Amino acid sequence: MSSRLSSPSLGGVTVTQSLLELRAILDNATIGIMFTRNRQVVQANARVAEMFGYQRDALIGLAGTELFPSLEAYEALGHVLVPLLKQRKGYRGELQMKRQDGSHFWCRISAKDIDPSRPLEGTIWIMEDVTEDRLIQQALRQSHEKLEQRVAERTADLLAANVKLQDEVFERMQTEQRVWQMAHHDALTGLPNRALLQDRLDQALVQASRYSHQVAVMFIDLDRFKEINDTLGHAGGDELLKEVAARLKVAVRAVDTVARLGGDEFVVVLNEISGADDIVLVAEKIIATLGQSAHIENHELHVTPSIGISIYPDDGADSVQLMKNADTAMYHSKSAGRNTFRFFAPAMNDEASRFFKLEHRLIAALERGELVLHYQSLVDLDRRAVCGMEALVRWFDPERGLISPDEFIPIAEESGLILTVGEWVLHQAMRQNRLWQEQGHPLIPISVNLSPRQFQQKSLVGTIRNILADTAQPAHLLELEITESTLMHDVNETLDKLKELAAMGVKLAIDDFGTGYSSLSYLKRFPVHKLKVDRSFVRDLCDDREDAAIAAAIIGLARNLDIDILAEGVENEQQLSMLLNFGCRKFQGYYFAHPMTPDKSALLFHPLHLGAQDSLF
Ligand code: C2E
Ligand code: MG
Ligand code: MG
């Protein structure tokens, strides 16, 4: 009974035992368990005491506020907790709590009334120190934030790098484009250059062969561009080339190609043409457009082109052959009087190869000393003496024998070799005269022919001055023979040059007079010393009354202008006596002497040896 009274039984287990068990649970629980009533702690397990840093006994009866960092925190919880409890709900949350030593820690709390039906019975608090969790979470959050920040930074870096890369790619593309442009275009005119032309032509030929089209290659060379360039100077010449390029582009269709090979050479490729008529139209258009005046540096210029045309497939199967043949045809336009066009014909190749062969052989001839000078005497009947010697160049070619200057001088002129040949002639003639003087022969002037290109050379006066000094010859013993066309070429420049030469004492003769178009009014302005009546008038003097009239007029003109007059090509006595009747006293011709080697010519210095016609004297 007593045992029943002191220890009531609960399902076979005594209350005491049950309490002991509950206490054991409380004491060993790893979470804090606390009971409060009337805002005071009434029970707390060991874990609560440990968490809050109190002796367990000290906790009992402690005001709830003591466990909170501040009264405000305590009341703030109350505002949330009390209504929840009234609704018979529990509270769950994490709050900062205060230890006995005043330090704070984070606590996960769930609070509930012990018996919701009797709220005054008290509240049970389950508590867990989550400071460490919090720290870990905070650390996690921080490292997450850091990571996010790093990712954001990296992303920004990548974005910037990407933008930079794109800029670089763009720049590189632009540079490559520029390099390509430079490598394939002519810097001056911006037209395709030889490399790009080759490419375009090759492509055009592939297309043409696939679809059975024709393609035309036009080789365009500006006539006398060198002279224009010399007159304008390089800047002016460049301007003109740009103007020509612009006009050529306008003259053709967009599908065609206009290229510049360099210098004054342009090439036009006409794609997909249906026949020669198309090409003629374009060629005429080009001639017309270039012929319109161009204003450059206060000059009004008219450019004329010489055009050579080859057609695929008739004139060549590939670009090399087509270009070569168009070039050959261009030379034929030049010799046909320029400012025109010529279609290629196979026969042109024979002529062209002869021309080029001769040019090459002439270069070799100069080096090997195969050029020699012969001299033909100029005779003064009044003084019964030789009054001069004309130096005439001869080419003794080992293969072909003697080649006439009429054949090779034009080639030398065209190729520019005349400058070398001409300088050699001047030097050689002056050296010869000096030799004759040293041999005791009388002082006589030597006549040297100057070709147009040689005369137009800027350095001519300087070259002559040097040669005279070199050979110790006075200037008055040199007579330069130029033709009327040379004289009339660029009147102002010619006048300056002639004045300079005349001032030095060099004499000037107009060769082949009567065949050119010199303006008589100019004759007076130029310091001309002598006119040489062309031998074509002398040849038919006795039979052709017109020739006789012209010869008589020239002789009369010269005498009136007080210019020396000499008749060339006198071959017989009849011609001589007619010329004497017209008032001419100086002569040159086979009747007196042929051109001869220096040694033989020297014999003519003696009055008794004026030639075969000594009896005349
Ligand atoms: P040119 O200056 O009118 O020279 C006179 C030409 O007439 C020479 O021909 C000469 O041999 C020829 N001749 C002289 N008397 C007679 C004659 O009675 N009857 C005929 N039928 N012909 C006669 P060549 O030597 O063949 O020279 C031809 C042209 O070549 C020269 O004509 C001249 O324009 C040019 N030439 C000659 N040597 C040189 C030179 O060193 N430099 C330059 N630039 N041209 C030259
Ligand atoms: Mg001459
Ligand atoms: Mg002559």
Side-chain angles (χ1 to χ4, degrees), residues 21 53 108 163 292 327 345 484 495 513 547:
E21 283 167 6
R108 184 174 298 143
V163 169
Q292 283 165 18
D327 190 23
E484 285 168 276
L495 189 59
F513 192 80
D547 280 354

Side-chain angles (χ1 to χ4, degrees), residues 373 376 390-394 404-406 409 418 421-422 425 448-451 454 481 511-512 532 534-535 568-571 588-591 593 595:
L373 291 187
Q376 187 178 29
E390 179 170 2
L392 294 162
V393 68
R394 299 281 176 269
S404 140
D406 283 332
I409 292 287
I418 192 69
V421 172
V425 170
V448 175
N449 295 285
L450 285 193
S451 80
Q454 209 182 342
E481 294 193 1
D511 205 358
D512 307 340
K532 294 180 82 176
D534 187 64
R535 67 171 188 267
E568 298 183 300
V570 180
E571 293 184 355
Q588 181 179 1
Y590 297 165
Y591 186 61

Side-chain angles (χ1 to χ4, degrees), residues 250-440:
V250 173
V252 302
R253 301 165 301 174
V255 290
D256 301 325
T257 296
V258 179
R260 179 173 172 235
L261 297 187
D264 59 343
E265 288 181 341
F266 295 84
V267 169
V268 170
V269 175
L270 303 178
N271 289 310
E272 296 179 29
I273 42 153
S274 49
D277 287 354
D278 283 4
I279 309 171
V280 170
L281 280 179
V282 177
E284 281 173 346
K285 203 167 160 193
I286 288 175
I287 290 175
T289 180
L290 294 188
Q292 283 165 18
S293 59
H295 298 275
I296 285 163
E297 296 189 345
N298 295 329
H299 289 83
E300 190 175 320
L301 301 168
H302 294 267
V303 181
T304 63
S306 292
I307 307 175
I309 303 159
S310 65
I311 304 172
Y312 172 87
D314 296 355
D315 302 330
D318 57 39
S319 56
V320 175
Q321 195 62 37
L322 288 164
M323 292 276 283
K324 187 169 160 274
N325 289 344
D327 190 23
T328 303
M330 187 276 291
Y331 271 103
H332 281 260
S333 290
K334 286 246 187 259
S335 46
R338 302 162 203 255
N339 199 25
T340 185
F341 60 89
R342 285 286 179 272
F343 283 92
F344 173 76
M348 289 179 177
N349 263 337
D350 308 339
E351 272 176 64
S353 69
R354 231 193 72 235
F355 182 96
F356 289 118
K357 258 192 213 149
L358 210 63
E359 185 186 338
H360 281 289
R361 290 223 316 279
L362 183 56
I363 294 170
L366 252 176
E367 286 165 3
R368 287 201 291 258
E370 287 165 14
L371 297 186
V372 292
L373 291 187
H374 280 188
Y375 296 87
Q376 187 178 29
S377 54
L378 279 54
V379 175
D380 181 346
L381 266 198
D382 286 342
R383 284 176 41 227
R384 304 187 70 223
V386 167
C387 61
M389 286 283 186
E390 179 170 2
L392 294 162
V393 68
R394 299 281 176 269
W395 175 7
F396 283 103
D397 182 68
E399 275 177 45
R400 287 187 49 196
L402 185 74
I403 302 176
S404 140
D406 283 332
E407 191 174 347
F408 72 84
I409 292 287
I411 291 170
E413 171 81 10
E414 184 75 38
S415 66
L417 266 179
I418 192 69
L419 303 181
T420 321
V421 172
E423 200 173 322
W424 176 84
V425 170
L426 272 164
H427 223 122
Q428 185 59 22
M430 294 296 96
R431 243 191 322 252
Q432 183 58 55
N433 207 13
R434 182 179 171 149
L435 205 67
W436 279 328
Q437 289 153 17
E438 283 167 1
Q439 289 166 359

Side-chain angles (χ1 to χ4, degrees), residues 544-565:
D544 190 323
R545 291 182 56 189
E546 268 180 29
D547 280 354
I550 292 171
I554 295 172
I555 293 164
L557 172 83
R559 287 173 58 134
N560 282 329
L561 290 175
D562 209 15
I563 297 175
D564 242 10
I565 182 84

Side-chain angles (χ1 to χ4, degrees), residues 486-498 519 522 525-526:
T486 308
L487 189 71
M488 299 307 297
H489 170 66
D490 177 340
V491 173
N492 287 331
E493 202 176 312
T494 306
L495 189 59
D496 289 346
K497 212 174 261 176
L498 291 183
S519 153
Y522 278 126
R525 281 179 58 196
F526 290 123

Side-chain angles (χ1 to χ4, degrees), residues 474-543:
H476 73 270
L477 292 189
L478 172 62
E479 181 167 273
L480 298 177
E481 294 193 1
I482 59 174
T483 58
E484 285 168 276
S485 51
T486 308
L487 189 71
M488 299 307 297
H489 170 66
D490 177 340
V491 173
N492 287 331
E493 202 176 312
T494 306
L495 189 59
D496 289 346
K497 212 174 261 176
L498 291 183
K499 277 183 177 162
E500 218 177 326
L501 289 166
M504 276 166 67
V506 174
K507 297 216 177 74
L508 297 155
I510 311 297
D511 205 358
D512 307 340
F513 192 80
T515 55
Y517 303 94
S518 54
S519 153
L520 294 181
S521 63
Y522 278 126
L523 274 183
K524 206 58 211 141
R525 281 179 58 196
F526 290 123
V528 170
H529 164 79
K530 183 191 282 172
L531 298 185
K532 294 180 82 176
V533 183
D534 187 64
R535 67 171 188 267
S536 61
F537 303 113
V538 175
R539 188 179 53 220
D540 300 325
L541 203 57
C542 307
D543 313 315

